[in-house]
Amino acid sequence: MNMNMNINMSILKLHHTNLHLRVPRRLRPAKTVPAIFSATLPLALPSTLLATLLTLATLIPTTALGKGVRHTLSGTASADVFVQVSWENHWRTEINNDAVWVFFKERRGTADYPHIKIKSVECSGQTSDCIVAANGAGFIIEPKLNSIGSINLQARVTFDLPSKTVIPVSNITSYAIEMVHIPEGEFEIGDTASMGTFFRGNNINSTYTVTDQPILLGSRGNKLNSKRVRLRLDGFNYPFLWDNTHETLNPQYPTGYAPFYIMKYELNQQDYVDFLNTLTRANARTKLPTTYMLSRTGQYGYNIHEGRTGFYTLSPNIPVGWVSWMDTLAYLDWAGLRPMSELEYEKAARGSRKPVPEGYPWGTATAETISGSVSNIGVETLNAGGNANFNSAIGAVVSQGINEETIRQEFLVNRSSSGVSYYYVFELAGSLEEPVITLGTTKGRAYTGEHGDGTIESAQHNVDSWGYNENIYSGSRGFRGGSFLSNNTQIAISYRGKATYSDNTRRPTYGIRGVVSDLQDNTPLLLRTKKKK
């Protein structure tokens, strides 16, 4: 569905810029949308975030907006903008809340868009909290008061610009991603039944509790352990899921005990197109599957194309598959996020509940696949019922079409009908495989949780601690949660059949989701200086 939004300018002699970010009520998954400078703004619904920059520098007819309007950001070090963020079906309860991650790029014609750093953010009033990444890559804005429904939050952002830097307002592009806050606290991992599940010591019928204490790895006592087994599928031997290590886990490895924010949805195709369109054509083409791959293997719901003026998709609300780990890392670095660990995956999926053997994110051991079809031009026909896309019932990734309004009405009552996790994160089972940093290898356990800073080089991430192309059998990466092609056991929370599979191939079942670590009381994130290759 398409609609137009008219922007009427009124006057006035202010040195600030107003930025309006609106998250309309929509079907899942989420979408990030760059700022558009036009009097009439096309708004794609459902599933969109509208980001619009309005200048208040002079009185100019709305028909000229985007052509004659120029507002420069200059001065001694920075310039202020006001940000208004609104979305529907938000929540803040005693358990957790949703939020929005906001960041900015400078549009530069056909060149890669550079990231605009943020110096500080000041929330307006007593209704919201604003939390800035220490490296200035972006900020979280979230509701402060308990409520469910529509919300409108405001903040003042100060950019961190070199002295005398001038950026025309029409060249500033803003992005917003819906997130879910995962609070601090203990939780259990493992479920006593799934392949590769975690357990305690040598008791395979136990689970392990993650606390704020150092994690000891090994096969005795209360140490964290797993079986040295590996998946054998279609004649292929996957890497072993555990290396029988005996050590103390790197204290910087994100265990999930500390709070963090996770993307509410898998990245969709419009999100990915927006990313591609900030790169040069040549660089963007390196982030796509080849025509040969698609024709030989199949689209599986993938619908991204190159046009005369840029890249576009016929399926904006369908999650983007056909990506590799390097594509995932490039996007996360570009957005100022980071990969999640497999312990953070289990925390986001299960929360503080007791594990259920072969249980799913909605809290039961019963899963019902959705059914229907999706055409090569993105037309979906989905039947009623089902709470996850798995078991090849459709044979493609789909938007699943579950209305958030229904979820709001059932909030904290019946998660199984909508397939969401304890903390209301979507699609953590089935759909697309979740990229995670593994606990099962030496390289994975060395992960420090370093964040991207918004700047990538030649369409590649440049956070050295994330690694680059890795050996498939001894890398730091893996996948959790299964996909639309997985069976019911492979989409269980604690199933680890591919947890150490550091594959860098583009596959239709691989998706993108990232996290950003929490800030408490405006304490800076423990982010490190990015190294250059």
Side-chain angles (χ1 to χ4, degrees):
M1 176 174 65
N2 293 316
M3 63 180 293
N4 291 327
M5 174 176 290
N6 294 316
I7 297 177
N8 296 316
M9 300 300 297
S10 52
I11 227 179
L12 339 269
K13 305 274 182 179
L14 296 179
H15 70 284
H16 295 124
T17 296
N18 264 14
L19 168 64
H20 180 74
L21 297 173
R22 183 174 181 275
V23 185
R25 183 177 69 83
R26 50 176 171 62
L27 308 181
R28 66 185 188 181
K31 175 183 178 183
T32 60
V33 176
I36 306 170
F37 301 91
S38 171
T40 301
L41 303 179
L43 175 60
L45 291 176
S47 186
T48 188
L49 293 174
L50 176 66
T52 307
L53 284 169
L54 305 178
T55 179
L56 297 182
T58 58
L59 177 60
I60 297 178
T62 58
T63 53
L65 195 63
K67 296 180 181 180
V69 176
R70 292 294 181 267
H71 177 77
T72 59
L73 305 178
S74 60
T76 57
S78 61
D80 293 345
V81 296
F82 285 108
V83 180
Q84 181 177 331
V85 184
S86 62
W87 70 101
E88 297 183 14
N89 298 310
H90 98 92
W91 75 88
R92 185 179 186 97
T93 68
E94 298 302 322
I95 295 177
N96 77 319
N97 60 275
D98 63 352
V100 172
W101 172 252
V102 183
F103 57 100
F104 304 88
K105 304 284 181 179
E106 180 187 354
R107 183 162 29 192
R108 287 192 180 176
T110 59
D112 288 350
Y113 291 13
H115 204 79
I116 302 176
K117 297 291 186 180
I118 297 171
K119 185 176 183 180
S120 63
V121 177
E122 179 183 352
C123 272
S124 301
Q126 303 298 316
T127 60
S128 60
D129 283 321
C130 295
I131 312 170
V132 185
N135 63 0
F139 73 96
I140 285 285
I141 186 167
E142 62 184 354
K144 181 182 291 186
L145 305 177
N146 286 0
S147 60
I148 297 175
S150 300
I151 193 166
N152 191 319
L153 305 178
Q154 298 180 351
R156 185 171 76 177
V157 180
T158 300
F159 290 137
D160 188 2
L161 300 174
S163 177
K164 298 183 180 180
T165 296
V166 175
I167 304 177
V169 172
S170 59
N171 287 355
I172 297 177
T173 308
S174 53
Y175 300 84
I177 303 174
E178 284 189 82
M179 310 291 284
V180 173
H181 179 235
I182 310 299
E184 176 183 293
E186 298 181 0
F187 65 103
E188 292 183 54
I189 57 175
D191 68 2
T192 73
S194 294
M195 181 178 188
T197 185
F198 293 117
F199 53 87
R200 190 175 61 255
N202 61 1
N203 183 0
I204 61 174
N205 295 315
S206 66
T207 61
Y208 182 90
T209 300
V210 175
T211 69
D212 61 348
Q213 297 301 303
I215 294 180
L216 305 180
L217 308 173
S219 58
R220 295 183 179 181
N222 291 321
K223 295 181 178 180
L224 176 58
N225 197 11
S226 180
K227 284 187 177 181
R228 184 173 170 80
V229 296
R230 63 180 176 183
L231 178 66
R232 292 178 173 85
L233 186 65
D234 297 328
F236 178 75
N237 288 329
Y238 284 78
F240 284 104
L241 302 178
W242 194 248
D243 57 6
N244 288 342
T245 184
H246 291 78
E247 60 183 280
T248 300
L249 180 63
N250 158 32
Q252 293 177 311
Y253 184 92
T255 65
Y257 176 85
F260 61 97
Y261 294 84
I262 183 173
M263 289 170 59
K264 187 187 291 185
Y265 312 93
E266 295 167 329
L267 192 77
N268 69 20
Q269 294 184 39
Q270 186 61 56
D271 295 340
Y272 201 65
V273 163
D274 294 338
F275 162 61
L276 295 175
N277 284 329
T278 68
L279 309 177
T280 65
R281 287 291 187 101
N283 284 340
R285 289 175 186 138
T286 68
K287 314 310 293 176
L288 298 170
T290 65
T291 302
Y292 173 75
M293 292 171 68
L294 294 175
S295 62
R296 182 173 180 269
T297 307
Q299 289 183 220
Y300 294 100
Y302 182 89
N303 228 323
I304 293 177
H305 309 275
E306 183 176 0
R308 183 177 60 85
T309 60
F311 296 88
Y312 66 95
T313 177
L314 299 176
S315 304
N317 298 318
I318 293 179
V320 62
W322 275 115
V323 293
S324 69
W325 251 107
M326 293 300 287
D327 298 333
T328 293
L329 296 177
Y331 179 84
L332 296 181
D333 191 3
W334 174 86
L337 303 174
R338 66 168 174 84
M340 66 176 158
S341 72
E342 60 171 322
L343 297 188
E344 288 174 316
Y345 167 80
E346 290 214 21
K347 173 73 173 287
R350 184 182 292 114
S352 58
R353 294 174 304 194
K354 294 289 293 184
V356 175
E358 296 189 327
Y360 305 111
W362 45 91
T364 72
T366 302
E368 181 184 356
T369 186
I370 61 174
S371 61
S373 64
V374 57
S375 73
N376 285 341
I377 60 172
V379 177
E380 295 178 306
T381 304
L382 303 180
N383 302 320
N387 54 13
N389 183 8
F390 69 102
N391 216 25
S392 302
I394 296 178
V397 63
V398 296
S399 66
Q400 301 192 25
I402 295 177
N403 195 319
E404 286 188 348
E405 182 67 19
T406 301
I407 296 170
R408 186 180 71 85
Q409 294 170 356
E410 298 179 347
F411 202 86
L412 300 179
V413 177
N414 185 16
R415 278 180 285 267
S416 63
S417 64
S418 51
V420 296
S421 79
Y422 177 78
Y423 292 117
Y424 270 73
V425 183
F426 288 75
E427 294 142 357
L428 288 175
S431 190
L432 293 173
E433 294 173 273
E434 303 287 341
V436 298
I437 303 298
T438 187
L439 195 66
T441 67
T442 299
K443 284 187 177 180
R445 292 189 295 272
Y447 180 50
T448 62
E450 184 174 2
H451 290 67
D453 66 358
T455 301
I456 61 177
E457 300 175 1
S458 301
Q460 299 293 337
H461 83 277
N462 53 10
V463 185
D464 286 350
S465 67
W466 292 358
Y468 297 96
N469 288 312
E470 295 184 334
N471 185 297
I472 196 171
Y473 288 103
S474 60
S476 64
R477 307 161 192 155
F479 300 92
R480 298 287 295 267
S483 76
F484 62 90
L485 295 179
S486 301
N487 62 36
N488 63 314
T489 62
Q490 294 167 339
I491 68 169
I493 295 173
S494 291
Y495 178 83
R496 298 184 61 247
K498 297 178 72 174
T500 56
Y501 186 47
S502 194
D503 182 21
N504 195 49
T505 307
R506 286 194 179 98
R507 298 190 188 276
T509 59
Y510 294 169
I512 296 176
R513 195 193 304 258
V515 302
V516 61
S517 296
D518 196 5
L519 282 166
Q520 296 292 338
D521 301 323
N522 293 321
T523 302
L525 287 171
L526 299 177
L527 306 180
R528 295 157 190 80
T529 302
K530 175 182 288 190
K531 301 177 182 178
K532 300 297 182 183
K533 290 185 289 183

